[in-house]
Amino acid sequence: MTVNLEQLIKEAVEKALEGDMDAINNIEDRVTRSRAKASLVKAKREATKEKTETSLDENSDATSDSKKDKTSNEHISELLIQQFPDDINKELSSKKHIQIQPKNWLVISRYLRDDPASLFDSLQCITGVDLGEESDLEVRYNLHSMTHLHAVEIRISCPRNKAKVPSVESIWRIGDWFERETYDMYGIEFEGHRNLKRILLPEDWEGWPLRKDYEVQETYHGIIVPKVKEGWE
Amino acid sequence: MGVFENKFQDNIVVASLDKLIGWARSTSPWFFQFGLACCAIEMMATAASRHDLMRIGMIPRSSPRQADVMIVAGTVTLKMALRVKKLYEQMANPKYVISMGSCATSGGPYWQHGYHVLKGVDLVVPVDVYVPGCPPRPEALIEGLLKLQEKIQSERPLTRKTA
């Protein structure tokens, strides 16, 4: 008897799923009818769950594929190579940064801020790097876009004895203090900056403290600055 | 004191003027707040209600002209050293300096590699009491202040110094 009932319910549900609700409604026994209806709901729920799972899988596959292909650095690098073919140093660029020649940096930075594909409205950080006593100095810019939520790192290197990089203080206003600090510590001149002077150290300080070849001054306004501390460590 | 003995009524106290001045100076040394780094937090804690510097007569002042003691609390950079000196010179005599913490005393952790740090505030101004610690606890600072009070008390401003 029970076997028959279950088979009856199963057949009715199958018919109902195909669109024929009468198969369930015509069941005379009330208990059996409600059991059939419950299993119909269950079947429908499982069907939709499977569907969403498969569709989610497809979506995640699609996004991860596009991300696997290119980092935002590479993506922006391609855009820049189309616009400014001579200014991008392709060999020195990598997945994590874009190496740029200093000459047209002001134009490139304006393009990066205003172009709808990049829209870098936020300059997050400027870092100065001394690559060693024999090598160049480097400036690194971290840009972020609030609209696209992507970020890039731009690197510009310049020779030690003639360290000059165009200023982006007029593009991103925050660059004012960032560039003054980089100038203070590394002596990199930002051409076009409207108020380029030391920001942390006193204005009559000698030398650029974070360069590798920096030598501590012997006296400052008559105060002796001891250099080597013997018998320490 | 034999001269004055039994010459006055009971509520008059007789003392030597030197000691009297010493007592007055040592029991109300108002201090000039000079919070330069983390030592300033301990200095504030010392002045606040738990340790209460007011009970030994010390009141924080924000102007060098109203202060007797300068507590140099924290790292003195070379940029600041010139200002420390200038502010010390603006204080009225008699004036005293307390070097609080290892940075103010010797440069502390910046002893070897801090190109911008003054290696001891005594290179710029004369220091009366050094309080060691990084930073010193309020108890340590109070100990230093009591030592300073002893020093002020023992001074004889009116006695002619003989060679």
Side-chain angles (χ1 to χ4, degrees):
Chain A
M1 183 68 186
T2 47
V3 179
N4 279 341
L5 266 180
E6 273 174 18
Q7 205 161 7
L8 185 78
I9 292 166
K10 204 178 168 187
E11 280 169 12
V13 167
E14 275 171 11
K15 276 182 187 168
L17 279 175
E18 285 160 11
D20 183 17
M21 271 304 280
D22 288 343
I24 291 178
N25 289 337
N26 288 342
I27 296 173
E28 277 176 19
D29 184 28
R30 208 162 55 107
V31 179
T32 321
R33 193 162 67 226
S34 57
R35 273 179 69 187
K37 278 188 180 168
S39 56
L40 173 70
V41 170
K42 204 177 163 188
K44 274 187 181 169
R45 197 188 294 148
E46 274 173 7
T48 50
K49 206 190 264 178
E50 274 174 24
K51 224 181 235 175
T52 48
E53 269 172 11
T54 50
S55 64
L56 267 180
D57 282 348
E58 279 164 15
N59 281 339
S60 60
D61 277 350
T63 47
S64 64
D65 274 352
S66 61
K67 272 184 185 165
K68 252 181 233 162
D69 279 354
K70 275 180 229 157
T71 62
S72 61
N73 273 296
E74 288 173 307
H75 179 66
I76 300 297
S77 173
E78 276 175 17
L79 278 180
L80 287 179
I81 286 165
Q82 283 172 14
Q83 293 285 327
F84 310 95
D86 300 333
D87 296 310
I88 313 299
N89 197 331
K90 258 188 258 177
E91 291 146 15
L92 290 177
S93 302
S94 77
K95 274 189 177 182
K96 290 180 181 169
H97 73 276
I98 307 168
Q99 191 88 25
I100 285 184
Q101 306 287 344
K103 209 178 116 197
N104 279 337
W105 170 226
L106 189 67
V107 186
I108 296 171
S109 60
R110 182 167 284 128
Y111 169 81
L112 283 173
R113 188 192 63 180
D114 295 337
D115 191 77
S118 50
L119 272 182
F120 288 107
D121 47 12
S122 155
L123 171 62
Q124 295 191 312
C125 187
I126 295 182
T127 315
V129 185
D130 188 339
L131 297 170
E133 283 188 37
E134 306 276 304
S135 2
D136 291 348
L137 300 171
E138 199 171 74
V139 194
R140 300 180 177 179
Y141 301 81
N142 290 93
L143 303 176
H144 181 259
S145 169
M146 299 285 180
T147 320
H148 298 305
L149 295 178
H150 58 192
V152 289
E153 181 175 324
I154 309 271
R155 296 185 186 177
I156 300 173
S157 57
C158 51
R160 176 177 296 273
N161 51 3
K162 222 172 51 180
K164 283 183 182 175
V165 173
S167 167
V168 292
E169 172 254 344
S170 55
I171 310 288
W172 295 284
R173 211 47 199 94
I174 186 69
D176 185 346
W177 282 14
F178 285 166
E179 285 177 353
R180 276 177 65 187
E181 192 179 349
T182 316
Y183 168 74
D184 199 359
M185 293 295 154
Y186 292 92
I188 296 165
E189 274 184 46
F190 292 91
E191 289 176 309
H193 194 292
R194 284 172 283 186
N195 185 26
L196 191 65
K197 58 180 187 191
R198 288 188 185 272
I199 189 170
L200 294 170
L201 293 168
E203 285 187 29
D204 54 357
W205 195 268
E206 290 164 22
W208 314 108
L210 290 191
R211 284 197 187 188
K212 302 269 189 199
D213 54 0
Y214 174 66
E215 281 190 17
V216 180
Q217 50 195 343
E218 284 174 6
T219 56
Y220 176 74
H221 285 264
I223 304 165
I224 297 161
V225 187
K227 250 187 203 171
V228 182
K229 317 297 181 316
E230 281 176 12
W232 195 255
E233 281 181 323
Chain B
M1 292 295 175
V3 186
F4 299 121
E5 219 153 342
N6 301 325
K7 296 268 168 92
F8 302 103
Q9 287 175 355
D10 283 351
N11 56 352
I12 291 185
V13 177
V14 181
S16 82
L17 196 54
D18 256 349
K19 279 188 181 171
L20 191 68
I21 291 173
W23 167 79
R25 280 180 180 173
S26 69
T27 44
S28 68
W30 291 4
F31 69 98
F32 178 31
Q33 301 170 313
F34 221 113
L36 298 177
C38 32
C39 278
I41 306 296
E42 295 297 309
M43 185 177 70
M44 286 184 265
T46 318
S49 51
R50 181 175 284 257
H51 296 281
D52 194 16
L53 274 188
M54 199 82 83
R55 72 201 155 94
I56 56 171
M58 301 194 75
I59 302 173
R61 308 306 297 173
S62 298
S63 160
R65 303 196 191 276
Q66 300 169 353
D68 306 297
V69 183
M70 182 165 91
I71 303 179
V72 184
T75 319
V76 187
T77 57
L78 288 171
K79 193 178 179 179
M80 195 66 194
L82 304 175
R83 289 149 177 82
V84 171
K85 198 178 175 187
K86 191 176 276 180
L87 287 166
Y88 175 76
E89 283 161 359
Q90 285 179 6
M91 285 166 70
N93 270 324
K95 48 192 173 184
Y96 306 93
V97 178
I98 289 181
S99 161
M100 182 185 178
S102 42
C103 288
T105 306
S106 71
Y110 310 99
W111 170 251
Q112 188 155 24
H113 296 298
Y115 61 90
H116 61 300
V117 175
L118 183 71
K119 311 291 190 255
V121 75
D122 49 4
L123 290 170
V124 191
V125 293
V127 178
D128 293 284
V129 176
Y130 298 91
V131 180
C134 188
R137 284 188 58 85
E139 290 92 325
L141 181 59
I142 290 171
E143 171 81 20
L145 295 168
L146 292 175
K147 284 271 178 246
L148 180 72
Q149 289 192 340
E150 270 174 38
K151 184 182 176 176
I152 299 171
Q153 182 87 63
S154 66
E155 279 178 358
R156 294 283 172 268
L158 296 178
T159 308
R160 183 175 294 157
K161 288 184 186 76
T162 49

